């Protein structure tokens, strides 16, 4: 009967070659990492306390300062989801709020505010609830006998 080696918690060991010896730096020449301790010769990175930011370019004028900058983006900007009056004419129903617009696929999110613009015409009386209306959109909706209600 062949002697089969049983594996248990008492005789576990890593696969040969899978784990190497720990690198003991700064312990003299006998360690294999003597003299410069694996840091090479001289230079900024060989010194103690050397931590250079990833964007540092050695004193050369950095890329983020070389590239021209244009315009500005307000931190208080409200990004609206745009719906045209003509798009509402094509959709069935007479009442349109953010939930109905989302259900019909005219807007993508209920988190962002909705603004109705005056491109096209409804051609029938509709009730629209939105966060903002352009002047022409309000005129076109009301000219067709509908109402434009502001929300929130």
């Amino acid at each position: 009967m062949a002697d089969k080696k049983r594996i248990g918690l008492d005789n576990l060991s890593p696969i040969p070659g899978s784990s190497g010896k720990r690198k003991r730096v700064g312990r003299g020449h006998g360690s294999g990492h003597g003299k410069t301790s694996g840091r090479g010769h001289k230079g900024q990175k060989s010194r103690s306390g050397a931590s250079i930011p990833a964007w540092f370019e050695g004193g050369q004028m950095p890329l983020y300062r070389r590239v021209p900058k244009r315009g500005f983006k307000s931190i208080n900007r409200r990004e609206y989801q745009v719906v045209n009056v003509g798009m509402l004419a094509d959709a069935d129903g007479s009442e349109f709020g953010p939930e109905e617009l989302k259900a019909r696929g005219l807007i993508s999110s209920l988190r962002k505010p909705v603004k109705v613009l005056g491109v096209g015409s409804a051609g029938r009386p509709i009730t629209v609830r939105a966060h903002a209306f352009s002047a022409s959109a309000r005129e076109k909706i009301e000219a067709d006998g509908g109402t434009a209600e502001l929300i929130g």
Side-chain angles (χ1 to χ4, degrees), residues 14-74:
I15 297 167
S18 67
S19 57
K21 286 178 70 178
R22 194 167 76 92
K23 185 178 193 177
R24 295 191 71 218
V25 173
R27 294 291 182 272
H29 283 284
S31 69
H33 299 286
K35 194 180 169 240
T36 53
S37 298
R39 287 177 179 254
H41 291 278
K42 300 184 180 176
Q44 187 177 9
K45 287 190 193 166
S46 72
R47 314 294 184 201
S48 67
S51 59
I52 307 143
W55 61 86
F56 186 65
E57 298 181 32
Q60 171 178 298
M61 183 61 69
L63 182 68
Y64 67 89
R65 288 185 61 194
R66 277 179 281 166
V67 174
K69 282 139 194 78
R70 284 181 55 84
F72 121 108
K73 207 171 235 185
S74 172

Side-chain angles (χ1 to χ4, degrees), residues 3-4 7 13 19 32 36 47 70 72 76 78 80-81 84 94 97 107 113 116 122 140 151:
D3 218 12
K4 280 196 171 178
I7 296 177
S13 63
S19 57
T36 53
R47 314 294 184 201
R70 284 181 55 84
F72 121 108
N76 299 320
R78 287 190 78 186
Y80 288 99
Q81 298 178 94
N84 289 313
S94 61
I107 61 171
V116 181
K140 288 182 180 182
I151 52 174

Side-chain angles (χ1 to χ4, degrees), residues 5 9 14 18 24 39-40 46 59 72 82 84 93 102 105-106 111 114-115 119 126 130-131 148:
K5 191 175 180 184
L9 291 176
S18 67
R24 295 191 71 218
R39 287 177 179 254
S46 72
F72 121 108
V82 174
N84 289 313
K102 173 93 168 80
L106 296 174
R111 291 172 180 257
V114 178
K115 183 169 185 172
V119 178
I126 55 172
H131 300 91

